[in-house]
Amino acid sequence: MNVLTTIAQLREVVKTAKYNRQSIGLVPTMGYLHEGHLTLAAHARSENELVIMSIFVNPTQFGPNEDFESYPRDLPRDTELAKSAGVDYIFAPSVEEMYPHDGGITIRAGRQAHILCGATRPGHFDGVLQVVAKLFNLVQPDRAYFGQKDAQQVAIIQTMVRDYNFPVTIRVVPVIREEDGLAKSSRNIYLSAEERSQAPAIQQGLQLAKRELLESGSVESAISLAKKIIHDNTDGHVDYLMILSYPDLQEVDDQTDQIVVAAAVHIGETRLIDNLIFSLKGEIIHV
Amino acid sequence: MNVLTTIAQLREVVKTAKYNRQSIGLVPTMGYLHEGHLTLAAHARSENELVIMSIFVNPTQFGPNEDFESYPRDLPRDTELAKSAGVDYIFAPSVEEMYPHDGGITIRAGRQAHILCGATRPGHFDGVLQVVAKLFNLVQPDRAYFGQKDAQQVAIIQTMVRDYNFPVTIRVVPVIREEDGLAKSSRNIYLSAEERSQAPAIQQGLQLAKRELLESGSVESAISLAKKIIHDNTDGHVDYLMILSYPDLQEVDDQTDQIVVAAAVHIGETRLIDNLIFSLKGEIIHV
């Protein structure tokens, strides 16, 4: 496994791949890899001649009171896991390598970033766009792989790619689930046995909202049914449960085709997120 | 001459060039070509296998009270001129083609945009960065050509390329001058004979400032000498005359190497700009 730590090394790998007309798949991560990341890598492996995984805990997407310093890091373990998933190169730069200058130019997410998870994390998605734009320019991938689990992040990145014409195809990999439908997450281990037995109600609520929306067309009715399922079957507290257009993340109207139903629910001390993305006109968007 | 008006057409040309491993030079313009643009095109022609000139009057860099609607346009004439300068393709999209969506994501220039010409044009350089980022992503050029005449624009674009790792080399083409040193500009025709005879004092002032700075190291002394030359030899009004670090456009300090001396001077009704860029450590930056 080749671990690249400098931009100059990465540029050389990319230049050679481009010269050899190899397709490049990029899997951007913050490391501490879990099954979700490895699924992204497997998709990248199946569609590209060269697979590059970035491992970089990006300081600019953490707020001042967030856990940048304590965010878990384990590059030796990540390297082994990435290798087993077929990754060709890891790009693991230092913060100084990625941000040697600050010329004061910023990329700012717009109204998409003011709701859902963005409501409580001001500036978070600006930092995500900054590092993703840099990675796209450095790796120049044909395809970049993101998990649908972070639907808002994916929506905002897709909007940047669309509106700024980045020459990359965004591949959204579906949420990986436990057998009972609970979205896989590193945080699931924090749940007690009782909480764990309640948690699938989130996904059941989202599914019910989807069915209700497709049948009745009523956003309000879909939301209240989903919330009722979650309230009736868990001791949790719903942080948000929204039905929005995708990827614009605006209120659904007559023109809306693509939909995201997204929820964040506190069950005990653990905050879980999940979502469904689908088309009102019947086509499934991400498979 | 091939005039491309859609992004799909442009993507096809770029894809073919990349497949054939041809180098691409981009000359971004707002059209109504003059000698400066053609000099950029000639430089691009001499260094690249494929030369693409964009002609797009970008609405997002005009303020609400500026002349977007009345900005001069003449695509047939531009096409002939570009052809004679060796341009292979013109990319001349409509506003709708370039901005079909507004997802609300913005790129914002920072402190570099708050001084010099930016002080009176809020948002102007944000619009410049937006369209330049889009053009870089669309054309994927090996080299992009800008005139040093617009030194602040070039500095801000170079900062974006540096801080966001755009895979492009920015080539800065020196100011083209009349025999007496006056920077060539479409606006010079507005000068009366008397004003025209005074105008070279701007360049003389900048040269004196450069000499004084290199000899004495005093920014204050260099600025006041330059202003005195301009005041003594013209009836003009100095809008600004500044000595800054380049490309950061901050106050000069002990660490500064690259310098820009920039002036905007009203002579009669005509506002003229000019600048010199040089190194304090002796190397010339742009040739």
Side-chain angles (χ1 to χ4, degrees):
Chain A
M1 168 65 64
N2 296 294
V3 178
L4 313 170
T5 57
T6 71
I7 284 172
Q9 292 166 343
L10 177 64
R11 291 268 196 222
E12 204 54 44
V13 166
V14 169
K15 188 178 162 190
T16 302
K18 294 283 175 192
Y19 185 82
N20 292 325
R21 298 175 181 145
Q22 287 185 297
S23 57
I24 301 178
L26 169 67
V27 184
T29 81
M30 298 212 300
Y32 217 71
L33 303 179
H34 55 62
E35 190 176 345
H37 301 111
L38 300 178
T39 305
L40 299 180
H43 278 263
R45 180 71 285 162
S46 71
E47 295 183 319
N48 301 277
E49 289 161 280
L50 193 78
V51 176
I52 299 176
M53 174 183 279
S54 61
I55 294 184
F56 179 62
V57 184
N58 174 38
T60 71
Q61 70 193 67
F62 287 79
N65 298 316
E66 294 180 5
D67 56 341
F68 171 68
E69 294 296 341
S70 63
Y71 195 88
R73 294 158 169 91
D74 189 345
L75 188 57
R77 179 175 161 279
D78 288 346
T79 304
E80 284 310 307
L81 287 171
K83 188 176 176 181
S84 70
V87 169
D88 295 305
Y89 290 94
I90 285 178
F91 175 53
S94 67
V95 171
E96 295 67 33
E97 182 73 10
M98 282 296 270
Y99 298 113
H101 309 285
D102 178 9
I105 295 173
T106 52
I107 301 181
R108 302 201 196 166
R111 52 184 183 271
Q112 291 170 304
H114 303 146
I115 50 172
L116 303 176
C117 292
T120 52
R121 302 190 73 184
H124 167 68
F125 290 109
D126 300 346
V128 170
L129 291 182
Q130 178 182 32
V131 76
V132 168
K134 286 170 68 74
L135 289 170
F136 286 172
N137 285 337
L138 287 166
V139 176
Q140 301 171 57
D142 297 272
R143 299 171 196 85
Y145 296 79
F146 295 90
Q148 186 191 314
K149 179 91 186 302
D150 298 311
Q152 185 175 18
Q153 169 175 285
V154 171
I156 294 173
I157 290 168
Q158 285 184 312
T159 300
M160 180 176 78
V161 167
R162 179 193 72 185
D163 291 357
Y164 288 86
N165 308 102
F166 279 87
V168 59
T169 298
I170 301 298
R171 302 288 266 165
V172 183
V173 176
V175 182
I176 309 295
R177 301 185 178 283
E178 305 290 350
E179 283 196 7
D180 58 11
L182 176 64
K184 287 209 183 193
S185 164
S186 312
R187 287 173 170 156
N188 292 350
I189 58 165
Y190 299 138
L191 298 168
S192 70
E194 172 60 22
E195 289 164 354
R196 175 66 188 77
S197 74
Q198 298 174 359
I202 301 169
Q203 170 62 10
Q204 289 155 17
L206 297 180
Q207 290 288 359
L208 188 62
K210 175 181 174 181
R211 196 156 58 232
E212 174 66 14
L213 188 68
L214 289 171
E215 283 173 10
S216 77
S218 165
V219 168
E220 294 68 24
S221 158
I223 288 175
S224 68
L225 276 172
K227 283 188 175 173
K228 184 170 183 330
I229 287 278
I230 295 169
H231 284 141
D232 288 354
N233 292 283
T234 75
D235 303 318
H237 159 76
V238 175
D239 185 2
Y240 63 73
L241 195 155
M242 299 185 82
I243 297 180
L244 300 167
S245 66
Y246 183 90
D248 283 342
L249 307 182
Q250 300 303 294
E251 275 190 30
V252 175
D253 64 26
D254 290 353
Q255 306 303 311
T256 306
D257 175 19
Q258 302 193 39
I259 295 280
V260 61
V261 185
V265 180
H266 279 273
I267 294 190
E269 298 295 302
T270 310
R271 184 173 179 274
L272 302 175
I273 61 171
D274 199 355
N275 69 82
L276 298 175
I277 299 176
F278 55 95
S279 164
L280 283 183
K281 293 169 186 159
E283 277 178 52
I284 295 165
I285 303 160
H286 310 301
V287 182
Chain B
M1 168 63 63
N2 297 294
V3 178
L4 313 170
T5 57
T6 70
I7 284 172
Q9 291 166 344
L10 177 64
R11 291 268 195 221
E12 203 55 42
V13 166
V14 169
K15 189 178 160 189
T16 302
K18 294 283 174 190
Y19 186 81
N20 291 326
R21 298 175 181 143
Q22 287 185 296
S23 57
I24 302 178
L26 169 67
V27 183
T29 82
M30 297 213 300
Y32 216 71
L33 303 178
H34 55 62
E35 190 176 345
H37 301 110
L38 300 177
T39 305
L40 299 181
H43 277 264
R45 179 71 282 163
S46 71
E47 295 183 320
N48 301 277
E49 289 161 280
L50 192 77
V51 176
I52 299 176
M53 174 183 279
S54 61
I55 294 184
F56 179 62
V57 184
N58 174 39
T60 70
Q61 71 192 66
F62 288 80
N65 299 316
E66 294 180 6
D67 57 342
F68 171 68
E69 293 297 341
S70 64
Y71 194 89
R73 293 158 169 93
D74 189 346
L75 188 58
R77 177 175 163 279
D78 288 346
T79 305
E80 285 310 307
L81 288 171
K83 188 177 176 179
S84 70
V87 170
D88 296 305
Y89 291 93
I90 285 177
F91 175 54
S94 66
V95 171
E96 295 67 32
E97 183 73 9
M98 282 295 270
Y99 298 113
H101 309 285
D102 178 10
I105 295 173
T106 53
I107 302 180
R108 303 203 195 163
R111 51 185 183 270
Q112 291 169 303
H114 302 147
I115 49 171
L116 304 175
C117 292
T120 52
R121 302 190 73 184
H124 167 67
F125 290 108
D126 300 345
V128 170
L129 292 182
Q130 179 181 30
V131 76
V132 168
K134 285 169 68 75
L135 289 169
F136 286 171
N137 286 337
L138 287 166
V139 176
Q140 301 172 57
D142 296 273
R143 300 171 195 85
Y145 296 80
F146 295 90
Q148 186 190 315
K149 180 90 184 303
D150 299 310
Q152 186 175 18
Q153 169 176 286
V154 171
I156 294 174
I157 290 168
Q158 285 184 312
T159 301
M160 180 177 75
V161 167
R162 180 193 71 185
D163 290 358
Y164 288 86
N165 309 102
F166 279 89
V168 59
T169 298
I170 300 299
R171 302 289 267 165
V172 183
V173 176
V175 182
I176 309 295
R177 301 186 178 282
E178 305 291 350
E179 282 195 9
D180 58 11
L182 176 65
K184 289 209 182 191
S185 164
S186 312
R187 288 173 170 157
N188 291 349
I189 58 165
Y190 299 138
L191 298 168
S192 71
E194 171 60 21
E195 289 164 353
R196 175 65 188 80
S197 73
Q198 297 174 359
I202 301 169
Q203 170 62 11
Q204 289 154 18
L206 297 181
Q207 290 288 0
L208 187 63
K210 175 182 173 180
R211 196 155 57 233
E212 174 67 15
L213 187 68
L214 289 172
E215 283 172 9
S216 76
S218 166
V219 169
E220 294 69 26
S221 157
I223 289 176
S224 68
L225 277 171
K227 283 188 173 173
K228 185 169 185 326
I229 287 277
I230 296 170
H231 284 140
D232 288 354
N233 293 282
T234 75
D235 303 318
H237 160 74
V238 175
D239 183 4
Y240 62 73
L241 195 154
M242 299 185 82
I243 297 180
L244 300 168
S245 66
Y246 183 89
D248 283 341
L249 307 182
Q250 300 304 295
E251 276 191 29
V252 175
D253 63 27
D254 290 352
Q255 305 304 310
T256 306
D257 175 19
Q258 302 192 40
I259 295 280
V260 61
V261 185
V265 180
H266 279 273
I267 294 189
E269 297 296 301
T270 310
R271 184 172 180 275
L272 302 174
I273 62 171
D274 199 355
N275 70 83
L276 298 174
I277 299 176
F278 55 95
S279 164
L280 283 183
K281 292 167 188 163
E283 277 179 50
I284 295 166
I285 304 161
H286 308 303
V287 182

